[in-house]
Amino acid sequence: MSVLIKGGRVVTAADDYVGDVYVEGERVSLIGESLDVQADKVIDAAGKYVLPGGIDPHTHLDMPFGGTVTIDDVESGQTSAAFGGTTCHVDFIIQPKGQTFAAALDEWKAKANGKQVIDMGYHMAVTDLKEGGTLEELASLPDEGITSYKLFMAYKGALMVDDETLFRTMQVAADTGTLVMVHAENGDAIDVLVKAALAEGKTEPRYHALTRPPETEGEATNRAIQLSRVAGSALYVVHVSCRESVEPIAIAREKGWNVHGETCTQYFFVDYSFLERPDFEGGKYVYTPPPRAKENQDVLWNAVRTDVLSVVSTDHCAFLWDGQKTIGRDDFSKIPNGAPGLENRLQMIHEFGVRAGRISLNRMVELLSTNPAKLFGLYPRKGTIAVGSDADIVVFDPEKKVTISASTHHSKSDYNLFEGTEVTGVPEVVLLRGHVLVEDGELVASPGIGQYVRRAKFGEELKTAAAVA
Ligand SMILES: [Zn+2]
């Protein structure tokens, strides 16, 4: 199978030109002006953007959490990703307490088996380290293509680890070329505040934010940065939501430390006031860290523009509002934390980042594809359009208008964080390794086409076909 994408505006993190892209098999084999080649399929991309497929390094599909399980499994979650122009993601395996990492990996691979619509890798969320067991096993994960460890500094009594576990994991990471990812909030302080609020009868969704003040995120971010310095590991702070955590990351990067950070689409658009919506509608916006005061949104736009933050992910962790979120109708601490978002990242960042003049088109590609590929051992096989790279390509119509809605999205969730938002710009054709995934608003490929990707170590390249040849 060969595909010729003709006359589109090809945009990577570095380039922006009108040209043809020729795909043979699963990889890009030729790029040029007015290519004279025969192809099985020709896509007229005149007036369209030709972008590398999105890479979302932060998702939770088919994950048990808060006494329930996320509503999107691998098939529905990856289908919504495909419609949104995301062709690869890295999901979190959560080590069940007392289990080996090998057992956890087998369990997560079984959940994905036969259901994969896009390519995927895994991070390992470490919840429990035992000397003479999982502590030693940690070092073997890069051999499985798992080259990032995740630690929760919050969710006391559930996923949270103590500083000893965090620090020991950082020491292993420094030895094995693995990236340490942290959910940075001070879980002990938050636990005190949550219990005090509930004792005073404060049960509405807004108390989710009021018991997790931004200082608890700032403190944990700084603690993780300092500990990673002592251990000598690279650090990646997930879902940065506020000035208090942007500032320590900015200082670390100015000093040239090996510290990286992401924010998520929703933090630019959903603020604290959403949690105050009546009749438990505020429950839709209960995710962690919580929606913050609106002035943080400008801080985040500045941070992604100036490379203080390097990635925009979604933290897609979808639940039903009616039936799952409502578990916590009378107690905010029982509302499952998380929200859908895999499908809308490119549209929202294009509209309010690029079209609003906050970031360039190149920077958008860098934040949504190239930087996640580089940080998570997928580049240059993924994250760019180049000879030898996987033909993960989005033909994007920058003029088409749509209104975002749960009635048309592909997640199984019954609400959308951006309901009613009008955006200009739609992924029109989406290719995964040269196979057409989405065209004319339909999923063309069948589940099973997606593959597990063994990622390279932190700072190393995942070789392309051309480089291997
Ligand atoms: Zn998450």
Side-chain angles (χ1 to χ4, degrees):
M1 173 89 177
S2 55
V3 181
L4 178 63
I5 304 168
K6 271 195 86 66
R9 182 174 163 190
V10 182
V11 182
T12 67
D15 302 308
D16 187 344
Y17 53 86
V18 173
D20 298 349
V21 178
Y22 183 59
V23 176
E24 266 182 302
E26 300 201 319
R27 309 231 149 77
V28 173
S29 70
L30 203 59
I31 300 173
E33 272 187 323
S34 308
L35 292 178
D36 182 20
V37 287
Q38 293 296 313
D40 300 322
K41 181 179 176 68
V42 178
I43 298 169
D44 178 9
K48 312 282 165 66
Y49 298 159
V50 178
L51 311 172
I55 297 171
D56 192 334
H58 191 155
T59 61
H60 304 275
L61 302 181
D62 206 345
M63 183 187 77
F65 189 61
T68 184
V69 179
T70 57
I71 192 68
D72 279 322
D73 67 0
V74 170
E75 186 173 335
S76 66
Q78 293 191 347
T79 299
S80 75
F83 278 96
T86 290
T87 51
C88 184
H89 72 127
V90 191
D91 205 68
F92 290 94
I93 297 174
I94 312 285
Q95 174 203 12
K97 284 223 165 105
Q99 262 195 35
T100 65
F101 298 118
L105 174 59
D106 285 348
E107 193 183 322
W108 250 259
K109 279 192 168 171
K111 295 183 199 207
N113 202 4
K115 292 184 170 183
Q116 285 179 240
V117 178
I118 64 173
D119 285 355
M120 74 185 302
Y122 293 113
H123 313 287
M124 182 61 75
V126 176
T127 63
D128 187 17
L129 279 188
K130 296 260 184 311
E131 240 169 302
T134 40
L135 179 61
E136 290 73 19
E137 192 194 1
L138 205 47
S140 68
L141 289 175
D143 301 334
E144 303 293 331
I146 297 175
T147 52
S148 40
Y149 308 137
K150 161 84 175 281
L151 298 113
F152 291 89
M153 300 168 78
Y155 301 129
K156 191 173 183 181
L159 302 172
M160 182 171 141
V161 296
D162 59 15
D163 286 349
E164 181 182 347
T165 302
L166 172 62
F167 186 66
R168 281 180 169 244
T169 304
M170 287 172 164
Q171 289 181 315
V172 176
D175 284 344
T176 55
T178 308
L179 181 60
V180 173
M181 308 168 78
V182 287
H183 171 138
E185 283 184 307
N186 187 315
D188 284 312
I190 288 166
D191 191 56
V192 171
L193 294 172
V194 168
K195 284 176 175 154
L198 291 173
E200 291 170 29
K202 294 169 174 170
T203 61
E204 298 92 344
R206 66 194 166 103
Y207 289 103
H208 173 68
L210 297 174
T211 56
R212 315 182 85 89
E215 291 83 355
T216 60
E217 186 180 326
E219 183 279 326
T221 300
N222 187 53
R223 183 167 21 120
I225 290 170
Q226 302 301 337
L227 291 177
S228 72
R229 288 285 293 162
V230 179
S233 69
L235 181 73
Y236 181 93
V237 184
V238 302
H239 51 40
V240 170
S241 73
C242 56
R243 177 186 298 280
E244 284 76 359
S245 50
V246 166
E247 285 177 347
I249 294 170
I251 291 169
R253 290 176 68 78
E254 199 180 292
K255 289 177 184 291
W257 297 351
N258 205 349
V259 172
H260 312 268
E262 68 169 23
T263 188
C264 313
T265 321
Q266 55 272 28
Y267 294 109
F268 296 113
F269 305 105
V270 178
D271 64 58
Y272 168 73
S273 69
F274 286 57
L275 287 165
E276 295 183 316
R277 292 185 175 179
D279 302 322
F280 195 66
E281 211 198 316
K284 293 176 180 173
Y285 309 98
V286 171
Y287 46 75
T288 304
R292 300 294 191 187
K294 200 165 180 56
E295 58 259 30
N296 287 289
Q297 295 175 354
D298 280 340
V299 174
L300 294 175
W301 281 118
N302 283 335
V304 294
R305 199 186 66 249
T306 57
D307 204 37
V308 169
L309 298 179
S310 314
V311 173
V312 178
S313 72
T314 67
D315 197 4
H316 181 95
C317 185
F319 296 101
L320 294 171
W321 179 68
D322 186 4
Q324 290 190 297
K325 290 287 191 180
T326 47
I327 293 168
R329 191 181 273 278
D330 301 317
D331 177 349
F332 72 89
S333 73
K334 294 197 166 62
I335 302 171
N337 283 204
L342 247 173
E343 189 162 346
N344 303 119
R345 179 179 66 151
L346 172 57
Q347 290 177 316
M348 291 294 283
I349 300 302
H350 176 255
E351 177 70 31
F352 297 98
V354 176
R355 279 174 48 89
R358 290 180 170 112
I359 56 170
S360 69
L361 204 49
N362 297 112
R363 182 62 179 165
M364 178 186 79
V365 170
E366 199 164 35
L367 290 165
L368 305 188
S369 181
T370 314
N371 281 349
K374 287 180 175 172
L375 286 162
F376 293 99
L378 295 163
Y379 188 85
R381 231 186 85 189
K382 297 186 182 294
T384 192
I385 295 175
V387 170
S389 291
D390 282 2
D392 299 348
I393 295 174
V394 178
V395 179
F396 186 85
D397 183 345
E399 302 297 334
K400 191 172 174 186
K401 293 183 194 319
V402 289
T403 301
I404 293 173
S405 173
S407 63
T408 49
H409 76 193
H410 298 82
S411 164
K412 285 187 193 161
S413 182
D414 56 356
Y415 73 98
N416 189 297
L417 287 176
F418 317 116
E419 185 70 34
T421 305
E422 290 176 26
V423 295
T424 303
V426 180
E428 191 175 70
V429 184
V430 179
L431 301 183
L432 173 71
R433 285 179 278 101
H435 307 281
V436 180
L437 274 188
V438 173
E439 192 168 26
D440 299 325
E442 300 291 333
L443 186 70
V444 181
S446 302
I449 196 161
Q451 292 179 354
Y452 173 68
V453 186
R454 302 174 74 89
R455 296 183 291 120
K457 287 185 177 183
F458 180 74
E460 294 182 5
E461 292 194 339
L462 191 63
K463 297 287 184 225
T464 64
V468 172

